[in-house]
Structure formats: structure tokens, C-alpha cells
Amino acid sequence: MAPMGIRLSPLGMAVFCLLGLGVLYHLYSGFLAGRFAFFMLSEPAAGGPETPHGSAPGGAVDLRELLAVSVLAAVRGGEEVKRVREGNVLNAKAKGKTREGAEEQLTTGDLLSNRRMFYLLKGAFPAVQINSEERVDTADQETVSWDRSIPEDIKQKIQPQEVPAESVTVWIDPLDATQEYTEDLRQYVTTMVCVAVNGKPVIGVIHKPFSSYTAWAMVDGGSNVKARSSYNEKTPRIIVSRSHAGKVEQVARQTFGNKTVIIPAGGAGYKVLALLDVPEKNQEEADVYIHVTYIKKWDICAGNAVLRALGGHMTTLTGEEISYTGSDGNEGGLIASINMNHKALIEKLPDLEKKSHK
């Protein structure tokens, strides 16, 4: 007797195959759908949200872009400062006293400039810490966009350079020399932006609203301003704050000689520009900038960055580098110079801060 076998009809085989395909479909349909969704979400949709301006993958920012926005912010803030001053709508009021007991002024120009500068920078670089002299009123938020354009002079001189966003601190001074601003001494007034990386100032922007002059520089990058070539180190011209001129004059002349020239001036930004080759009619020239008391970091960070980029120095009166992290104040006074023997200058005035308070 022959062995018995099972013969499937063509119809039965078709049914069997269909059942198998059904099982496979149920097993893998969820997996395939998930992979398809992941693929679609990983690709930016046309017209969909983009990476925030100024940001790069991994939480980095491009310093060239940050320089471009800083220049724009200083100019935009300066427009507000100029508009308020020319409209004579300052609404000046005292916001407190300095450590020396002088009244600090606050004007509409300070507030409007601060709002414009802060929100422009924050909109372009949302992950970056921004410190400003004035408080930011979140209820008065302003949408200020950046079109991501970079001026040609920055494109030509500065190469893209990315740094981690968490290493960056931006310091804003929306109106430097507010006291002089209220007195209509316009030549002293500036708006400033500084970028520090790991506490070191690397980008500085100083803008003069009433003459539309802007100086900018980036350490290990480039600048649109130069140092002056002629200095007299034996009898330097020393630029100081108007309120400190009397304190510094006697000590400075004892240190540098009776021929030393003391130049009283307003605004830290103006004083740094005095050390540079600035094509400004109302800009005085000096060899050394000295400040003998406590000063806020947003006053000096931009100038410090510009001087560093040009090979100059800004330190405390004892020669210590100023860190732009942590507290917003610098306790050790400052001395700034360029194309001079900075160490020798410091050695000449080791007790200047102490004597100036007598």
C-alpha cells in the first residue's frame, strides 16, 4: 500500500498565503509607521520653525553673528537715546546714590534704549546670558527681529567662530554718561555692548549716538578702529572722571611729573575712545585712562574688549585682569593704556586708589 499524502488545492494555498500576510502586517505595521513618523519629524517642514537665530547645533553661537547683532543693538539703542534728548523728554529722576554719595540719574533715554537693545539681542540669541545696567520690564516686552544680515566690513575682517552658548555673557550699557546726558553734554554719551567668553572680553562695541560713530573690535579677529601712534610716556595725558579729577590730579602729578595733563571727562566709553585714533571733532585724546573707585562692569567691558583686540590693556590699579562673570561690579579701580608699558605704569601708582580716598 502506498503512503498516504495530503494534496492542497491551488485555492487552499492562496488562502494560506493571505493569512500569513495578514499576520505579518499586524506584527510590523506599528513599527513601520513609527519609523516613518520619526523620519518625517526629523526633516524640517517647508515654512516650519527654524533653528533660533544665532544658534547652532549643540548650543553654540557664532561670534561673528553676535558681533553683527551687537553693533546693530548699539546703534538701535543710540537712536532712542538721541530721539529722547532731541525731543527734550528725558523725565530724569534719581534712581539711587553711588558709593561716593552722588545721585544716579535715570531717564527715558536709558529705559527705551535698554528695551530696544536687550530684546534685539535676546531675540537673536535666546540661550545667551545678558546683563544690563537697567532692569528689563517683562510686561513691556518688545519684539525686535534681526534679519541675520552681516555688514560687509565685518564679513571681510571676521571669520565665523563658534563657542558654547553657556560660555557667553553679554554686557549692555544702554546709555553711558547719563549725568552728562541730562546736562546736554552730548559728546560724552555712548551706547555699548560687550561679549565675554568664559569671563574674558572678546567683542566690544562703542557707539556715539549724536555723531553716529561706531567703534567695534573682536579679539583675534579684527576691528574698524586703530590705536594712535604717538604717546608721551614720561608726561602722559591722563583722562579721568569729571567727579574724580580733583582726587586724582595731585597724586598723578606727583607720580608722573608736574607737566602731566589731567583731562576730566564723562563716560567710560568716551574715555576709552580717547586712547584710540577716532575721527571725531569732539573727541579728546589721552594716553592713559584711570578710574580710582568702584565701577560697574557694563561701563568698562566693551572698552576692555576693544583695547585687548588692539593689543592694549585694562586692568585693576594693581594689575589684575578683570573677570566679566559673577558680580556686576569691579572693586579695584582701573588703569587702561595702549602701546605703552602697562606694567611700568602700574608700578608708578601702586597706592593711587588708597591715596585718592584721603
Side-chain angles (χ1 to χ4, degrees):
M1 184 176 181
M4 297 180 63
I6 299 174
R7 177 179 293 179
L8 292 178
S9 68
L11 178 60
M13 293 184 65
V15 171
F16 180 81
C17 290
L18 287 173
L19 288 173
L21 289 172
V23 172
L24 290 173
Y25 174 79
H26 284 290
L27 286 174
Y28 290 101
S29 61
F31 172 78
L32 292 173
R35 295 301 298 169
F36 179 75
F38 175 80
F39 174 77
M40 293 300 293
L41 289 173
S42 66
E43 294 293 323
E50 300 177 352
T51 302
H53 291 171
S55 299
V61 297
D62 180 3
L63 290 179
R64 184 171 74 166
E65 290 188 348
L66 189 44
L67 169 58
V69 179
S70 297
V71 170
L72 181 60
V75 171
R76 291 283 178 84
E79 291 170 355
E80 297 296 319
V81 168
K82 184 178 180 182
R83 181 175 63 83
V84 170
R85 177 66 267 184
E86 291 182 344
N88 198 28
V89 287
L90 275 65
N91 297 318
K93 60 181 180 181
K95 69 174 182 179
K97 291 188 176 183
T98 65
R99 292 192 178 185
E100 291 79 31
E103 291 283 359
E104 282 193 286
Q105 296 291 310
L106 178 67
T107 71
T108 301
D110 293 87
L111 297 176
L112 293 182
S113 175
N114 183 68
R115 184 177 69 175
R116 181 63 60 88
M117 294 173 71
F118 178 87
Y119 284 116
L120 176 57
L121 285 158
K122 196 64 178 176
F125 295 90
V128 167
Q129 178 182 340
I130 301 176
N131 297 334
S132 178
E133 179 174 8
E134 308 304 338
R135 289 186 177 183
V136 177
D137 187 355
T138 55
D140 194 26
Q141 184 170 346
E142 180 175 355
T143 302
V144 187
S145 61
W146 176 47
D147 63 4
R148 305 197 73 176
S149 63
I150 299 177
E152 285 301 319
D153 59 340
I154 294 178
K155 278 186 180 180
Q156 292 174 6
K157 297 179 180 180
I158 308 294
Q159 296 299 314
Q161 181 182 342
E162 290 186 356
V163 296
E166 63 269 19
S167 70
V168 176
T169 305
V170 177
W171 295 84
I172 300 175
D173 193 341
L175 200 170
D176 189 40
T178 300
Q179 180 61 45
E180 286 74 18
Y181 182 65
T182 63
E183 298 172 17
D184 208 15
L185 299 173
R186 305 183 184 194
Q187 70 272 24
Y188 297 127
V189 176
T190 62
T191 58
M192 296 188 287
V193 181
C194 176
V195 176
V197 177
N198 295 321
K200 295 183 178 181
V202 298
I203 290 175
V205 180
I206 305 175
H207 175 68
K208 299 183 79 172
F210 297 101
S211 64
S212 299
Y213 174 76
T214 306
W216 60 260
M218 177 172 162
V219 175
D220 296 328
S223 69
N224 71 340
V225 64
K226 297 179 180 180
R228 288 188 296 105
S229 56
S230 60
Y231 296 90
N232 190 336
E233 195 165 348
K234 293 183 179 179
T235 56
R237 292 166 291 181
I238 299 178
I239 193 164
V240 300
S241 296
R242 295 166 69 212
S243 58
H244 298 162
K247 295 180 181 180
V248 177
E249 182 172 2
Q250 182 178 0
V251 174
R253 286 185 173 158
Q254 288 175 353
T255 304
F256 295 107
N258 290 329
K259 294 182 179 181
T260 301
V261 177
I262 304 298
I263 305 172
Y270 178 89
K271 297 184 188 80
V272 168
L273 291 179
L275 306 181
L276 308 177
D277 185 8
V278 174
E280 289 279 290
K281 293 181 180 179
N282 293 327
Q283 178 66 61
E284 296 168 282
E285 295 182 351
D287 302 310
V288 182
Y289 166 27
I290 294 176
H291 188 86
V292 296
T293 60
Y294 174 87
I295 191 168
K296 294 295 182 70
K297 291 178 181 177
W298 43 67
D299 290 317
I300 59 176
C301 186
N304 198 342
V306 171
L307 289 174
R308 285 188 70 224
L310 299 176
H313 301 275
M314 179 185 288
T315 65
T316 66
L317 293 171
T318 57
E320 297 176 0
E321 296 295 332
I322 302 168
S323 175
Y324 293 91
T325 56
S327 68
D328 60 14
N330 172 51
E331 297 279 356
L334 70 85
I335 179 169
S337 68
I338 190 166
N339 289 346
M340 298 183 73
N341 188 334
H342 193 76
K343 184 178 180 181
L345 289 173
I346 292 169
E347 291 173 350
K348 286 183 178 180
L349 33 110
D351 299 321
L352 181 56
E353 183 183 19
K354 186 183 297 183
K355 290 181 180 180
S356 68
H357 291 290
K358 288 184 178 181

